[in-house]
Amino acid sequence: MKRYLTISFALVLVGCGGSALSVYEFASDQQNVDKYKELEYILKKEHGCDKLSQLYDFTQLETPTVKDLSEIMPIFGLTANDASKADKVYNINFSVLNQYNCDDVGNTKQLVNDLVQYCNNKYPNAPDKQHNCEYYLKQSIFVFSKQDEYAFADDKRQVIQQVKSELEQGIMNNIRKIHPLPDDTEKFLPVFSASELIKTRKEILGKYDGDCSSGGWLCEEDKTVTRLNAIRILYSVCKHSFRYLGEQPECVCYAHETYKKVNYQNLIYIDEKGGKLPQSKKTEFDQIFKKCKQKLEKQRYGETSDY
């Protein structure tokens, strides 16, 4: 909560550059700063606005660290130490945000009356300055006023719902900076764990003696063939062999159940033979696809179909 003043003042800069009382003039008066902090301190926080504001602060970090992430973990029912665990943070339960609606169950109305009286006394006979003073001080209470039209909307719940949606996206963006997944692998979650995907990129199966610059999945630019390459190749084989388009859950399951069962020679065979499986793997892998299909059908329909 210590950063409210800086953040909130930054938010109001957009629409108030030519006002009778600029944000700089307001903030340079220590009496105004003291009043802002007073209102912020005595605001009753049990309605959850303080937690949403803490999450907002996190989303604004350009280069977040594990320590920064650890500070918001308790809001999601996790521990600070969980911030260092990729599997934990990629499975954060964002539904927790639904309990924080910033409903006015505290002393907001009383504080608004208080700040209006303060501004009237501070800038007597100056209606424009009174208005600006009220606007700036209200930022200590309604901390998510990103634009003037949001500031005191009649339907605050609608505003907060929009804030929550933006927070979820912003939090995930910063999690990706702290625990980066290999490119184009989020589609494999949650069948693969985040730590599993990160680890597969480091497990080298061999060094390819052909061309790795053609845009295929067989190898990296340095010609290494990794477990991650195996996942991508087997996922692609599944989509094409079984005529699936798009990101199919059956093929994610298939890749997960087969990627540890292939070696370097298997992979170059698949790649160089246009996606065909080696005879030594075909029967086993076809059965794996069938089981993945049945598993997903059972989850969806409660029964499976024949093939």
Side-chain angles (χ1 to χ4, degrees):
M1 300 299 289
K2 295 179 181 178
R3 288 175 285 183
Y4 276 15
L5 190 60
T6 302
I7 291 171
S8 298
F9 283 174
L11 294 179
V12 299
L13 282 174
V14 176
C16 301
S19 59
L21 177 67
S22 74
V23 67
Y24 301 106
E25 291 176 284
F26 179 86
S28 64
D29 187 318
Q30 189 59 45
Q31 190 176 22
N32 290 339
V33 173
D34 291 343
K35 187 62 179 179
Y36 186 103
K37 291 180 177 178
E38 175 194 337
L39 292 168
E40 183 181 65
Y41 179 76
I42 63 179
L43 175 68
K44 290 184 179 178
K45 312 285 196 318
E46 63 267 23
H47 45 42
C49 266
D50 59 325
K51 291 182 174 60
L52 294 180
S53 183
Q54 186 180 357
L55 295 178
Y56 174 78
D57 288 354
F58 175 76
T59 65
Q60 300 307 294
L61 298 174
E62 290 294 327
T63 55
T65 64
V66 170
K67 184 178 184 302
D68 295 321
L69 184 57
S70 71
E71 293 176 358
I72 67 170
M73 288 293 95
I75 295 177
F76 298 101
L78 300 170
T79 68
N81 289 336
D82 289 332
S84 62
K85 302 170 184 174
D87 293 340
K88 289 279 190 178
V89 298
Y90 272 96
N91 285 289
I92 281 179
N93 179 15
F94 284 102
S95 67
V96 169
L97 296 182
N98 292 332
Q99 22 183 312
Y100 307 128
N101 289 316
C102 292
D103 292 330
D104 187 8
V105 297
N107 56 347
T108 305
K109 185 175 181 180
Q110 171 194 332
L111 296 184
V112 170
N113 291 336
D114 181 15
L115 70 85
V116 168
Q117 186 61 48
Y118 168 86
C119 292
N120 288 344
N121 294 335
K122 178 73 176 178
Y123 303 103
N125 304 317
D128 287 344
K129 289 190 175 184
Q130 289 174 7
H131 173 76
N132 295 139
C133 170
E134 292 173 19
Y135 182 84
Y136 299 145
L137 285 180
K138 283 178 181 178
Q139 305 304 306
S140 67
I141 302 171
F142 305 112
V143 296
F144 290 109
S145 304
K146 293 186 179 181
Q147 299 179 31
D148 195 27
E149 62 265 27
Y150 281 178
F152 313 110
D154 292 333
D155 188 359
K156 293 188 183 71
R157 185 176 292 271
Q158 182 178 354
V159 174
I160 293 302
Q161 281 306 121
Q162 179 173 345
V163 167
K164 287 178 184 177
S165 177
E166 293 173 358
L167 283 179
E168 183 172 340
Q169 185 62 50
I171 291 167
M172 284 307 305
N173 287 344
N174 273 357
I175 283 175
R176 293 183 189 104
K177 293 178 183 178
I178 297 168
H179 297 286
L181 291 177
D183 292 342
D184 194 36
T185 58
E186 284 199 42
K187 63 190 174 190
F188 298 131
L189 298 171
V191 177
F192 289 81
S193 68
S195 60
E196 185 178 15
L197 289 170
I198 293 170
K199 181 181 177 182
T200 61
R201 184 168 48 184
K202 301 175 182 177
E203 188 175 350
I204 298 174
L205 301 179
K207 198 93 167 179
Y208 190 50
D209 59 0
D211 183 12
C212 289
S213 61
S214 59
W217 293 122
L218 177 61
C219 47
E220 304 300 320
E221 290 183 3
D222 62 359
K223 294 185 177 290
T224 56
V225 179
T226 69
R227 283 287 176 205
L228 180 58
N229 294 118
I231 293 170
R232 287 170 165 159
I233 286 176
L234 290 163
Y235 176 74
S236 179
V237 165
C238 175
K239 286 175 59 178
H240 290 93
S241 296
F242 298 101
R243 295 186 175 86
Y244 278 97
L245 300 176
E247 295 174 2
Q248 296 296 328
E250 295 93 337
C251 291
V252 175
C253 171
Y254 176 84
H256 187 255
E257 297 303 312
T258 58
Y259 85 100
K260 292 182 180 179
K261 298 178 182 290
V262 291
N263 57 30
Y264 168 73
Q265 290 179 315
N266 295 150
L267 293 175
I268 62 173
Y269 179 95
I270 294 170
D271 185 74
E272 293 179 357
K273 297 295 183 181
K276 290 184 178 179
L277 291 174
Q279 286 299 318
S280 60
K281 298 293 181 182
K282 190 173 188 320
T283 300
E284 178 189 6
F285 284 17
D286 285 352
Q287 284 299 312
I288 287 174
F289 175 79
K290 180 178 180 179
K291 288 179 181 177
C292 283
K293 185 78 171 175
Q294 289 176 334
K295 176 183 176 181
L296 291 167
E297 285 196 345
K298 185 77 172 176
Q299 290 173 353
R300 184 171 181 81
Y301 307 119
E303 59 182 294
T304 62
S305 57
D306 294 328
Y307 297 94

